[in-house]
């Protein structure tokens, strides 16, 4: 299987499984990946999602070996039908998404990593906006997501040079939330994901939306959104549970409702 899905409690892990090509994405893999993401997004039993890659890389972007040389094809179609819905499903799903970055994330692989909510890496993590190396422009949201982390000057430097960004620099920019030893990566990702899956899922979903819309909204729009979101969160069972737990001086048991 080019995409593997596994479940541990309320955490769904979706793994790209083509290690021989650093998990590059061909047509079949993109379709299976999108289907797995959509299924996880729809499933109320899933309360956190981990994006992962097998072998030494997270994902090296488009499978450059899957296109016969010299045969014209539509790049727009590739994006509109393949990558864009993948990115939108990750960004819009109403549950936390963690990218597990044990090695290189390049091209659209980097775009997918930056579409996730949180990123956990190791000393071997390398982020490469590889597009210019093959005469392409950043896509799958990267011209927006990377620019938001590093600002226009550094984003353009990374796009023009396609230099690898090492883990320490990615932490400084806030792209990696944490870096751990390679042998601690799985345990750390599992622990973060389980904590998120045990959290107040509705409040997390509204928080994710709030942060996403903050880039476009005026302050007064954002204040109105926060008030509406808090009305919903405040009516949730998880809010009642959180307050009861606080008053009883015990840990909350959130149900996700
Ligand atoms: O439809 C569209 O095209 C539009 C959408 C575009 C989105 C994109 O993602 S465009 C960008 C595509 N990706 C790249 O340009 C990255 C290409 N890969 C690399 O630059 C390097 O492989 C890495 C920097 C990622 C890693 O380098 P390194 O030295 O660690 O590994 P390697 O030896 O280059 O790769 C290992 C194997 O994976 C190798 O196969 P081999 O020689 O052992 O048989 C290599 O060819 C293969 N591989 C790596 N990336 C891809 C790939 N095979 C197919 N497609 C790849 N993207």
């Amino acid at each position: 299987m080019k995409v593997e899905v596994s479940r541990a409690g309320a955490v769904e892990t979706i793994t790209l499984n083509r290690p021989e090509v650093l998990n590059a994405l061909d047509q079949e893999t993109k379709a299976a990946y999108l289907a797995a993401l959509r299924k996880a997004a729809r499933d109320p039993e899933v309360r956190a999602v981990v994006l992962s890659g097998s072998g030494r890389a997270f994902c090296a972007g488009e499978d450059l070996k899957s296109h016969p040389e010299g045969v014209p094809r539509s790049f727009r179609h590739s994006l509109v039908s393949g990558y864009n819905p993948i990115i939108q499903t990750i960004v819009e799903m109403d549950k936390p998404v963690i990218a597990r970055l044990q090695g290189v994330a390049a091209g659209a692989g980097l775009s997918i990593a930056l579409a996730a909510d949180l990123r956990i890496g190791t000393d071997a993590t390398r982020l490469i906006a590889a597009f210019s190396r093959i005469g392409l422009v950043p896509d799958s949201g990267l011209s927006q997501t990377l620019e938001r982390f590093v600002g226009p000057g550094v984003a353009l430097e990374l796009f023009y040079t396609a230099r690898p960004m090492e883990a320490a620099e990615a932490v400084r920019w806030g792209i990696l939330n944490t870096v751990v030893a390679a042998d601690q990566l799985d345990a750390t990702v599992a622990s973060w994901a389980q904590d998120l899956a045990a959290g107040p899922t509705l409040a997390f979903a509204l928080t994710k939306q709030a942060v996403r819309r903050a880039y476009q909204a005026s302050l007064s729009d954002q204040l109105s959104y926060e008030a509406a979101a808090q009305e919903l969160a405040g009516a949730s069972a998880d809010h009642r549970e959180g307050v009861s737990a606080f008053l009883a001086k015990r840990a909350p048991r959130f149900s996700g409702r």
Side-chain angles (χ1 to χ4, degrees):
M1 298 280 278
K2 293 177 172 181
V3 174
E4 287 185 347
V5 178
S6 62
R7 178 85 60 91
V11 176
E12 188 109 307
T13 297
I14 303 175
T15 303
L16 293 167
N17 187 30
R18 304 185 72 210
E20 68 287 357
V21 287
L22 307 186
N23 302 313
L25 299 157
D26 61 6
Q27 278 301 108
E28 190 189 340
T29 309
K30 279 178 275 187
Y33 201 49
L34 179 58
L37 286 164
R38 284 181 167 159
K39 191 158 174 288
R42 274 196 312 267
D43 187 341
E45 301 298 314
V46 174
R47 293 169 63 192
V49 172
V50 173
L51 307 179
S52 175
S54 46
R56 68 181 172 90
F58 174 67
C59 173
E62 175 70 10
D63 184 339
L64 301 175
K65 296 173 181 164
S66 66
H67 306 290
E69 256 182 90
V71 178
R73 66 188 180 94
S74 168
F75 288 79
R76 176 182 285 122
H77 178 75
S78 163
L79 292 170
V80 170
S81 67
Y83 287 101
N84 295 357
I86 287 173
I87 298 300
Q88 277 178 307
T89 305
I90 295 168
V91 170
E92 289 168 11
M93 79 167 73
D94 55 3
K95 46 197 90 179
V97 180
I98 298 176
R100 171 191 175 277
L101 303 177
Q102 81 279 33
V104 72
L110 177 57
S111 309
I112 290 169
L114 294 203
D117 301 334
L118 305 175
R119 284 151 290 278
I120 303 179
T122 72
D123 285 341
T125 302
R126 278 182 303 150
L127 309 180
I128 310 177
F131 299 91
S132 66
R133 289 186 186 171
I134 54 168
L136 291 183
V137 302
D139 65 25
S140 310
L142 196 65
S143 58
Q144 186 179 75
T145 50
L146 185 60
E147 194 277 337
R148 281 177 183 167
F149 279 109
V150 303
V154 176
L156 285 171
E157 176 208 328
L158 293 167
F159 292 141
Y160 290 158
T161 65
R163 72 168 169 84
M165 183 188 283
E166 307 292 332
E169 186 182 353
V171 169
R172 283 200 299 279
W173 287 116
I175 295 174
L176 289 179
N177 295 86
T178 190
V179 171
V180 297
D183 63 359
Q184 292 302 307
L185 182 63
D186 286 330
T188 306
V189 170
S191 160
W192 284 42
Q194 280 156 18
D195 284 352
L196 290 170
T201 310
L202 173 66
F204 284 169
L206 294 165
T207 303
K208 182 169 173 169
Q209 267 181 44
V211 170
R212 193 171 80 238
R213 73 193 300 290
Y215 288 100
Q216 289 100 39
S218 64
L219 177 61
S220 63
D221 284 348
Q222 194 68 5
L223 289 169
S224 300
Y225 172 83
E226 286 175 357
Q230 203 66 293
E231 187 76 0
L232 291 172
S236 68
D238 280 345
H239 171 58
R240 288 192 295 282
E241 165 62 10
V243 173
S244 301
F246 171 75
L247 296 175
K249 297 186 186 298
R250 61 170 174 80
R253 289 181 295 270
F254 291 121
S255 63
R257 289 186 299 277

